[in-house]
Amino acid sequence: MRKVMILALALLVFASCHVSYNATATYSDSPTKFMKLDGDGSITVRVSAQGRNYSDSWEQAGKRAVREIIFKGVDVPGNAFMSKPLVTEVNAEEKYQEFFNVFFMDKGDYSKFVSGEDRRAASSVETKADAMVKHTITVRVLRAELKQYLVQHGIIRL
């Protein structure tokens, strides 16, 4: 009888130590948040992205940050010029679809303009649900170089 009680107590202790993740967590489309503007024309933002693991989330965050700077713009307080999207042409993503499909493919040219240089320790927030992981990551985008690249490839006309 005593062995049964000890075994039951041990099972209770081990069962209470189990860590579980919320399998019903939802991934809201969190807005990209401006963090800082550097004198070299780069913008540091906080971006939420999901993937199978951290490196996949990092790649998705880089793509999202670059895409938003190109097509939507990022609200930079007190600097209306830097807040504007790089491409203002209507339906440009659709018009230059072949270019952007190659540009945003995994390990594509977009990665030349993304850096984790401004990332600090513990600056990534992780949320897990099912097989996906959502990270909120600090990303630096080299906006001036990105603009020059788009000009060279005929996407932006000066």
Side-chain angles (χ1 to χ4, degrees), residues 104-151:
F104 284 115
M105 68 184 200
D106 290 348
K107 309 268 190 273
D109 283 350
Y110 81 92
S111 61
K112 296 175 185 176
F113 309 103
V114 176
S115 159
E117 203 170 296
D118 290 339
R119 191 172 49 197
R120 306 269 189 279
S123 69
S124 178
V125 178
E126 179 179 285
T127 307
K128 291 186 179 183
D130 298 328
M132 300 302 278
V133 180
K134 177 184 176 186
H135 284 93
T136 302
I137 302 169
T138 303
V139 178
R140 181 177 182 207
V141 178
L142 306 173
R143 188 182 186 278
E145 288 88 345
L146 177 58
K147 181 177 181 178
Q148 187 60 39
Y149 180 87
L150 294 173
V151 167

Side-chain angles (χ1 to χ4, degrees), residues 36-152:
K36 87 176 185 181
L37 179 64
D38 290 323
D40 64 353
S42 63
I43 296 179
T44 302
V45 294
R46 293 277 289 166
V47 182
S48 294
Q50 66 183 22
R52 294 180 311 273
N53 52 38
Y54 180 80
S55 62
D56 190 31
S57 294
W58 166 253
E59 189 166 359
Q60 296 305 318
K63 288 179 184 181
R64 182 171 177 194
V66 170
R67 184 178 299 278
E68 289 203 15
I69 287 173
I70 292 174
F71 298 111
K72 292 182 182 178
V74 174
D75 186 28
V76 178
N79 194 330
F81 172 73
M82 293 297 278
S83 297
K84 293 179 182 177
L86 291 175
V87 177
T88 56
E89 183 179 344
V90 177
N91 296 328
E93 189 171 7
E94 194 174 299
K95 181 178 179 181
Y96 302 109
Q97 182 178 5
E98 289 180 26
F99 171 81
F100 286 114
N101 285 346
V102 173
F103 181 76
F104 284 115
M105 68 184 200
D106 290 348
K107 309 268 190 273
D109 283 350
Y110 81 92
S111 61
K112 296 175 185 176
F113 309 103
V114 176
S115 159
E117 203 170 296
D118 290 339
R119 191 172 49 197
R120 306 269 189 279
S123 69
S124 178
V125 178
E126 179 179 285
T127 307
K128 291 186 179 183
D130 298 328
M132 300 302 278
V133 180
K134 177 184 176 186
H135 284 93
T136 302
I137 302 169
T138 303
V139 178
R140 181 177 182 207
V141 178
L142 306 173
R143 188 182 186 278
E145 288 88 345
L146 177 58
K147 181 177 181 178
Q148 187 60 39
Y149 180 87
L150 294 173
V151 167
Q152 289 173 351

